[in-house]
Structures are given as structure tokens and as C-alpha cells.
Amino acid sequence: MSAYRPLTASTLIDYLSSLAPIQTRLGGNAADWTAREVSDGNLNTVFIVSGPAGSVCCKQSLPYVRVDPAWAMPLERTLFEARWMQALSPAVGHQIPELYHLDEGLFLIVMENLSTHHVLRNALIAGVAPAGFAARIGEFVGHASYATSWRALAFEDVYALRDLFSRNLALTRITVDLVLTDPYRTDCPRNRWISPELDDLVESLQTDSALHAAVERMQERFLSSSQALLHGDLHTGSVMISGDDVRVIDGEFALYGPIGFDLGMFLANLAMNAYAQPEHDDWMRDEIALLWSSFRRAYLERWEAGAQRGDMASLTRPASCAAERTRFFQQILHDCAGFAGLELIRRTIGFAQIADYEAGSDRESEIEARRRALLTGRSLIQKAFQIDTIEALLDQI
């Protein structure tokens, strides 16, 4: 384990040359390798290192937020991403990058380079994402959430995983603040919106006591429900695609929580793309329906097979079991709707807003897309526990 130091392109190459498996993967000698920084997220530095035989992706934590050095941040987030990859790999296989090496002292991950893939958000904005991509995300959430649930694992194993990821406090704090709290505060400097056109709507969101009570219910669900290991930040910027190959990346926000959180985050990002690009409306409606049906199918397949039977083995007769499964998926859908509403509002007036809104043809189109997202977000949060079918959720969107 190495002593921590922020790596540059040259010092990273020097370090990788000491790792025999990575040297073999890259081929040749270190003098033949190139390192290119491709950091585009908010938190970490990312390099692509290439050699005669292949390439790797290297991700290192910094002691601050990359886009705001004044915002101090613990280094451990890369370790949580690596543990997330290790925990899920048996269940999801190639749906996440392969982890090649972890240096806990450098807070450095060396993993598969998805050089032939594109960020899903960029592909959606360009209108070149392949139809059906959401099925792969639904399958991913279904497989990952079942495999790390009380149904699949003995409670001792769930407790061990939950204890590990419960220490991911810094990034969970970001979620609690940026997603669940800040947009509803009138005094938060991280909030921003198009003014004066959206001033009236933002003021109503920030002074609506009924809405705030519904937000508090979603806060309680997020903080108190430990159904499965979540990605924690599942949006279209954390998905890479190449044809039918869809990969989920950036699991550093991983934590135990309600399954509907990941689904709601991703669903909201699909909806916002359609709001920003109305010609995608029907396409995104189909993808959202596919996200849900594929998730439900993947989870049910493992549940019905009794895969890795844990401490929530069903004791009910088949008829009763069907009723219980209906209740379970309705609960997830309630959570999905509520968290989708929170994400719609956060990405529209809070910190880390989405690039999709800039795809509109003019300012008026962008304002209309943002207003639509805010109104839909409010409706989903307030009606979340009344939404029992995917059709009802789509009607709200």
C-alpha cells in the first residue's frame, strides 16, 4: 500500500510500471505508455493509460471536490467504489467495469477502460442512444438489489455489508443535502435557477409546507430503509453504452437504502431529457416503462428461483406470496416516484444541474422544460404513495 499523493500523468505511469499484472495488460515498457486525463465529474481525477497491448482507466480521490478546491472531501470515496464493484460483480458481471487493482493508500482504482463506450447522457442529447437501453439498467438494479438483500443473504452478511457502507458518510451527506434538503431552503447559496422567469415557482416550492412534509417522508425512507446496496447516484451520466453493451460506473455513493431510490434517480433523468427535447417524449416514455418491467422481471426471477436463500425466505402459500409480491413492488414504485420527484427538482434548481436543458433551441424552451420538471417533481413527491402502477407514474410525468 502506497503513501497518498495526488498523481499526475507521469507519476501514474511510474506507479503502474511497478504492477506486473498491469504491465502485462498494457504491454511494452513504461516508455511506450501514454496517460491522458479525462476527468469530467465533480469529485475525482481520471486518467486513461494506454500501451501497445491495451489500456486501463485509473481513478483517484482528491482531498477536495475537483471542481471546487475549497470544498474539502475525505479520500475514502474511491475505496467505497471499489468495495461496491467487489460486492456486485458476482451478481451483475459485465454490467460494471472489471476491477483490476486497488491501492488503498493512494485511494486509486485501476479498472477496465470502456474506450468504445459513450456516456449515455451525451448519447441521449445527441439522439443516438439505442432504443431499449433502459432494459439493461432495469436488469442491473434488479440483479444488484436482490443479490444484496435480506432475501438473498443471511442477516449476518447483510449486516457486514451495511456496516461497511454505512461509513460512506461524506458522500451520503452530499445526497442528504443536495437532493433531499437544499432545494427547499430559501437561504442555500448552492441553489440557482433562471430568474426572473422561474422565481414564482421556486418561491412556491420553498414555502409550501405540504410539499415539505412530503419531502420529509422521503427523507425518512432514504435514511431508515435498508433494502439493498444502492449505487446511490444512478443517472444518465453514470452509464456508458456501446450498442447493446450498457455499463454502470461511478459507484462511489454506494450505501444501503430503499431500492426505489436508484430507480427514481434514473427515471427522473430520462424524464428531464424528454422535457428538454420534446421530440424524445414517446421514446422516453417507452424507456421508462422498460426500466420498470425489466427491473421487476430480473428481481422476480431470482426471488422465484430462491437464489442464495437468505433470512427472508417466504413462508406463505403461493396465493399469499403473490399478494406479498404485489405489495413489495408497489412499495418500491412509491419510493421510485417520490425520489424521482426529488431528483427532478434538484437537477433543475439545485447543485450539479444537467446538461440536457441546454439542448433546447432557445431560452423559452429551456424555461418551459425546467418549469415542467419542477411541476412534475412537486406532483410526484406529493402523490408518491398513491402511485401503484407504472402507468399511473407515467401519467404523472
Side-chain angles (χ1 to χ4, degrees):
M1 185 170 70
S2 310
Y4 179 78
R5 61 196 183 280
L7 295 170
T8 64
S10 60
T11 59
L12 175 60
I13 286 177
D14 289 342
Y15 170 77
L16 294 178
S17 68
S18 68
L19 305 175
I22 304 303
Q23 190 173 29
T24 300
R25 187 173 295 278
L26 294 175
N29 300 310
D32 304 318
W33 302 348
T34 60
R36 175 172 55 95
E37 185 175 357
V38 295
S39 312
D40 65 353
N42 293 321
L43 296 178
N44 310 293
T45 53
V46 181
F47 292 90
I48 301 300
V49 181
S50 302
S55 62
V56 296
C57 178
C58 302
K59 184 174 183 178
Q60 186 184 35
S61 297
L62 294 171
Y64 48 80
V65 175
R66 190 181 66 84
V67 296
D68 183 3
W71 187 346
M73 186 67 57
L75 293 163
E76 290 80 6
R77 57 191 182 274
T78 301
L79 304 185
F80 289 111
E81 179 169 354
R83 302 304 181 213
W84 171 81
M85 296 169 78
Q86 292 166 338
L88 291 190
S89 181
V92 303
H94 71 280
Q95 289 186 294
I96 60 176
E98 184 178 352
L99 177 64
Y100 297 146
H101 179 74
L102 168 66
D103 190 311
E104 297 189 14
L106 281 174
F107 300 95
L108 174 73
I109 290 175
V110 183
M111 58 186 158
E112 180 181 4
N113 175 29
L114 302 177
S115 58
T116 62
H117 292 62
H118 303 281
V119 176
L120 176 59
R121 186 182 305 283
N122 297 340
L124 287 172
I125 291 171
V128 297
F133 66 84
R136 306 286 82 79
I137 301 303
E139 291 167 2
F140 166 81
V141 177
H143 292 151
S145 56
Y146 184 86
T148 57
S149 74
W150 308 87
R151 289 190 170 87
L153 300 176
F155 82 87
E156 293 91 344
D157 296 327
V158 175
Y159 268 50
L161 280 172
R162 196 173 66 169
D163 178 63
L164 170 62
F165 288 98
S166 70
R167 300 173 217 162
N168 197 4
L169 297 176
L171 295 197
T172 302
R173 167 52 66 189
I174 289 176
T175 301
V176 169
D177 288 348
L178 269 55
V179 180
L180 303 175
T181 307
D182 284 356
Y184 311 95
R185 292 174 45 200
T186 59
D187 60 345
C188 181
R190 290 193 286 245
N191 294 336
R192 61 180 177 85
W193 57 88
I194 296 178
S195 181
E197 288 89 345
L198 295 179
D199 287 355
D200 59 335
L201 183 50
V202 173
E203 181 181 6
S204 72
L205 293 172
Q206 294 179 340
T207 58
D208 184 342
S209 58
L211 173 64
H212 295 175
V215 170
E216 190 169 313
R217 287 195 294 273
M218 299 313 303
Q219 292 172 332
E220 182 180 15
R221 288 293 298 159
F222 179 77
L223 293 169
S224 66
S225 175
S226 298
Q227 288 180 313
L229 180 61
L230 308 182
H231 177 278
D233 192 31
L234 188 58
H235 55 77
T236 54
S238 54
V239 173
M240 304 285 288
I241 62 169
S242 177
D244 291 335
D245 189 17
V246 179
R247 308 288 191 97
V248 178
I249 63 171
D250 294 344
E252 61 204 356
F253 280 80
L255 76 159
Y256 258 76
I259 296 167
F261 183 83
D262 276 355
L263 291 167
M265 294 291 104
F266 192 75
L267 185 155
N269 279 263
L270 298 185
M272 285 183 284
N273 177 267
Y275 297 162
Q277 298 175 276
E279 66 273 18
H280 292 179
D281 268 1
D282 291 340
W283 180 25
M284 288 304 102
R285 182 183 179 91
D286 291 343
E287 294 295 332
I288 289 170
L290 196 55
L291 172 73
W292 175 254
S293 63
S294 299
F295 156 72
R296 193 177 186 279
R297 185 182 309 112
Y299 194 101
L300 264 178
E301 284 174 355
R302 297 202 172 190
W303 189 352
E304 291 174 345
Q308 304 165 253
R309 183 77 81 176
D311 283 308
M312 283 185 65
S314 175
L315 302 176
T316 56
R317 293 185 298 276
S320 301
C321 191
E324 169 56 20
R325 288 173 183 176
T326 297
R327 180 209 63 80
F328 173 72
F329 285 111
Q330 282 182 345
Q331 178 195 63
I332 293 176
L333 196 60
H334 295 164
D335 288 341
C336 175
F339 290 122
L342 290 166
E343 175 76 343
L344 285 166
I345 292 174
R346 172 271 178 106
R347 293 286 187 180
T348 303
I349 65 172
F351 189 81
Q353 297 185 18
I354 59 169
D356 302 62
Y357 285 130
E358 299 170 8
S361 58
D362 51 40
R363 179 183 174 91
E364 289 70 25
S365 298
E366 181 178 352
I367 291 169
E368 175 57 28
R370 288 177 179 270
R371 181 174 290 274
R372 189 177 174 192
L374 293 174
L375 291 171
T376 303
R378 167 191 264 165
S379 178
L380 286 174
I381 294 168
Q382 292 182 314
K383 298 178 180 179
F385 294 94
Q386 304 165 30
I387 296 174
D388 291 334
T389 65
I390 189 62
E391 291 77 17
L393 195 155
L394 284 166
D395 286 346
Q396 290 296 319
I397 293 175

